[in-house]
Amino acid sequence: MTVVHDPPFTPFTSPADDDPAGRPRRLLRLRADVQVEPDGDDVDLTHPWGRQRVHGLGADTVALLEEAAAADADPRELAEHPDGVRLLRLLDRFPFLVTSVLAGADGEPLATAVPIARSATLPAPAPDGPPPHLTVVLSRFAYLRRLPDHGPDACVVESPLASYRVTLCRPLAAAFVAALTSPRTIAEAAAAVGLPVAEGEALAGLLAGAGFLEPTAEEEGADPALWDFHDLLFHSRSRPGRHDYLSGGIFAHPDQPQVPAVPGAGPREHGPGIDLPVPDWDQVLVSEPSFTEVLEGRRSVRSYGDEPVTVAQLGELLYRAARIRRVIPGDPQSPTAYDVVDRPYPAGGSTGELEVYLSVAQCEGLAPGVYRYDAAAHRLHPRHWGGAADEAAFRELLTAAWRATNRTVEPQVLITVTSRFGRLSWKYSQIAYALTLKHVGVLYQTLYLVATAMGLGPCGLGSGDTDAAARALGLDWTAESSVGEFLIGSRPGPAAVGTEFVDVVADSRGEAG
């Protein structure tokens, strides 16, 4: 639908038309994925975060909104248009729909700020940025990266603290942002990279409005000191609300082959492997304490008995905590179907991406070395070493585990949990790594409870060496990497189980005594 306005709405094309100084100008456009559906005086706005119906906007303002969706609009021209003020008020109500475009002195885009969160607030449309003598610095949470669909010369600057993603359309704009990694004036940063000072002012203003410059201690949103960069970024990007990337089970890689549900033998595995005994159901039920006794008795054990854990005990622990109970084949006619893996612990999508390896230092009935647990066949496969370097990596894993216990215990058996990431990322986007860490957590608890019920000494570790694990296990860490470490050994005394509920409820309620 096209409506001729009087005076006509003319999107900005060149600053020379009415700005003889040729200064950069701030323009507005709707996000590319916003759909405007007119209905008389009303309009439906569909966007990544949902849908809004705006009543009584007026047919002329609705038509102006359609034009603004098709081309960049100068907010100064909108403010002078009879229906423009109403449109600007609408955009103030829904700032997450509006992209702020910064055009350079030549009229070509210099940068664009795209809202990526519904909580975004519209950066001020004034074209002038901070004064050139102002000292500014980039937030320590900001980062530059390349996106393949943003053009050959473009890169983006993002931050977990910012509700905008800024696309830097020219190499000089990216160089200017990089020049702000240390405190300097805008004029100094612009001169350092050869950017006109006026464009530096405008770009600094856009970055400040979008949340990329370091705030002062007095400003709202000051640097959250207790967060590391990677933790805050991981948190903000693996949960919806702070970004606009497609997230969840969207099957973003249907053209890639699926990672098999049950992995095959690795290049370092030869021979039939070691079949582990299968525990007897009735005997387990008769001999074990109740679930509540086990749950209340669960502890991390960092000292071992004189006799090491046995291969039979290891076999029972792995069978009960980590085996594959069944594989449910996916529909071969469906492009998004995959084999579902059922294990004793829950997992998102039942992908079954976690694998278990053993680094054995002491175990009755099992030679020292590295083994892969075949969860489908309940079998151990020795990882044959290629020389002294592989043995050194094995020792490195055990040493790292010893350090992780504050040097309190020499490991008997180290369980290394790995993730075959492709099993998750084939289906899930943005949340795949977060999911695998959640799966590690539920596997930890399952190992804890089964080991406690069996009278073994369990201890989950907080970290491990990715490179050493890759060397010792013979893995490509980008395809399958260690994501968890867990120690198992013999208990130094009788098995500990809970005999009563222990809590701090009375103390917390002020009822003690």
Side-chain angles (χ1 to χ4, degrees):
M1 178 172 62
T2 302
V3 176
V4 178
H5 298 280
D6 185 21
F9 168 62
T10 54
F12 171 76
T13 55
S14 170
D17 294 339
D18 63 354
D19 192 350
R23 294 181 61 83
R25 297 179 66 180
R26 189 78 63 85
L27 311 174
L28 300 177
R29 74 164 71 120
L30 293 187
R31 280 181 55 116
D33 50 7
V34 175
Q35 297 179 14
V36 179
E37 302 173 25
D39 184 10
D41 288 346
D42 303 338
V43 65
D44 286 319
L45 299 173
T46 304
H47 49 81
W49 298 280
R51 183 182 180 96
Q52 260 89 25
R53 184 172 181 87
V54 181
H55 298 279
L57 192 59
D60 287 347
T61 306
V62 170
L64 188 60
L65 177 62
E66 286 189 281
E67 293 188 35
D72 296 341
D74 188 330
R76 293 178 297 182
E77 295 176 356
L78 287 178
E80 296 173 356
H81 191 281
D83 299 304
V85 173
R86 180 177 292 182
L87 177 57
L88 289 173
R89 288 174 179 168
L90 173 70
L91 298 182
D92 278 337
R93 287 175 56 194
F94 304 111
F96 53 88
L97 304 180
V98 185
T99 295
S100 188
V101 182
L102 182 64
D106 57 1
E108 295 298 320
L110 181 65
T112 60
V114 180
I116 61 172
R118 187 167 185 158
S119 59
T121 56
L122 191 63
D128 296 330
H133 62 272
L134 183 68
T135 298
V136 295
V137 65
L138 198 66
S139 166
R140 72 182 181 93
F141 290 98
Y143 59 96
L144 283 168
R145 71 184 180 111
R146 178 183 68 88
L147 286 180
D149 57 351
H150 278 56
D153 294 328
C155 62
V156 297
V157 58
E158 298 178 290
S159 166
L161 294 178
S163 54
Y164 278 80
R165 175 176 55 250
V166 172
T167 298
L168 305 168
C169 305
R170 308 183 199 176
L172 275 184
F176 175 80
V177 173
L180 298 179
T181 54
S182 59
R184 58 177 66 186
T185 67
I186 295 170
E188 289 172 340
V193 301
L195 187 72
V197 173
E199 293 191 359
E201 294 176 50
L203 185 52
L206 183 68
L207 292 169
F212 289 96
L213 298 186
E214 193 83 9
T216 64
E218 293 78 19
E219 289 180 297
E220 184 179 354
D223 180 0
L226 296 181
W227 280 94
D228 287 331
F229 165 78
H230 64 282
D231 285 332
L232 191 60
L233 177 61
F234 174 57
H235 175 64
S236 68
R237 290 298 184 263
S238 60
R239 298 179 63 82
R242 297 289 306 176
H243 66 87
D244 63 348
Y245 296 108
L246 292 177
S247 179
I250 64 175
F251 297 95
H253 305 287
D255 55 330
Q256 298 295 320
Q258 292 188 33
V259 175
V262 180
R268 297 189 184 183
E269 296 175 8
H270 308 284
I274 303 168
D275 289 339
L276 296 171
V278 174
D280 179 83
W281 173 271
D282 293 330
Q283 183 177 352
V284 167
L285 290 183
V286 169
S287 61
E288 281 196 347
S290 70
F291 172 76
T292 299
E293 291 173 315
V294 170
L295 189 62
E296 290 299 308
R298 183 215 57 77
R299 300 288 185 276
S300 291
V301 177
R302 297 180 180 87
S303 61
Y304 297 141
D306 295 333
E307 298 298 323
V309 66
T310 69
V311 67
Q313 290 172 320
L314 272 184
E316 181 177 341
L317 174 69
L318 294 174
Y319 182 88
R320 295 174 59 185
R323 78 185 187 280
I324 293 177
R325 295 195 290 207
R326 58 179 177 160
V327 177
I328 305 172
D331 181 0
Q333 303 302 315
S334 171
T336 58
Y338 60 93
D339 294 343
V340 168
V341 179
D342 177 28
R343 281 181 155 159
Y345 57 88
S350 297
T351 52
E353 85 284 0
L354 297 185
E355 299 297 328
V356 167
Y357 294 81
L358 306 180
S359 297
V360 177
Q362 287 184 291
C363 177
E364 183 183 327
L366 198 58
V370 179
Y371 301 82
R372 178 179 69 89
Y373 176 56
D374 183 341
H378 191 49
R379 179 182 295 148
L380 292 181
H381 292 278
R383 308 290 279 187
H384 295 287
W385 291 335
D390 292 334
E391 184 170 358
F394 162 67
R395 298 296 174 189
E396 209 175 333
L397 287 184
L398 295 178
T399 301
W402 169 69
R403 289 198 186 100
T405 65
N406 200 25
R407 299 173 172 83
T408 57
V409 60
E410 293 287 347
Q412 291 183 0
V413 176
L414 168 66
I415 296 176
T416 300
V417 182
T418 68
S419 174
R420 296 181 297 136
F421 302 117
R423 282 290 293 172
L424 281 169
S425 61
W426 187 82
K427 175 181 180 180
Y428 295 106
S429 294
Q430 301 301 316
I431 65 171
Y433 193 68
L435 272 180
T436 212
L437 295 185
K438 291 171 182 175
H439 299 164
V440 173
V442 294
L443 175 57
Y444 267 32
Q445 179 71 335
T446 306
L447 287 168
Y448 261 116
L449 296 180
V450 175
T452 301
M454 291 176 60
L456 299 176
C459 183
L461 304 182
S463 64
D465 188 322
T466 295
D467 276 353
R471 292 194 299 272
L473 308 179
L475 301 173
D476 173 2
W477 75 271
T478 63
E480 180 180 352
S481 181
S482 58
V483 288
E485 290 76 24
F486 199 96
L487 289 179
I488 286 292
S490 57
R491 274 193 181 266
V497 293
T499 57
E500 61 179 350
F501 287 119
V502 177
D503 57 50
V504 294
V505 172
D507 289 343
S508 299
R509 293 177 175 177
E511 299 173 357

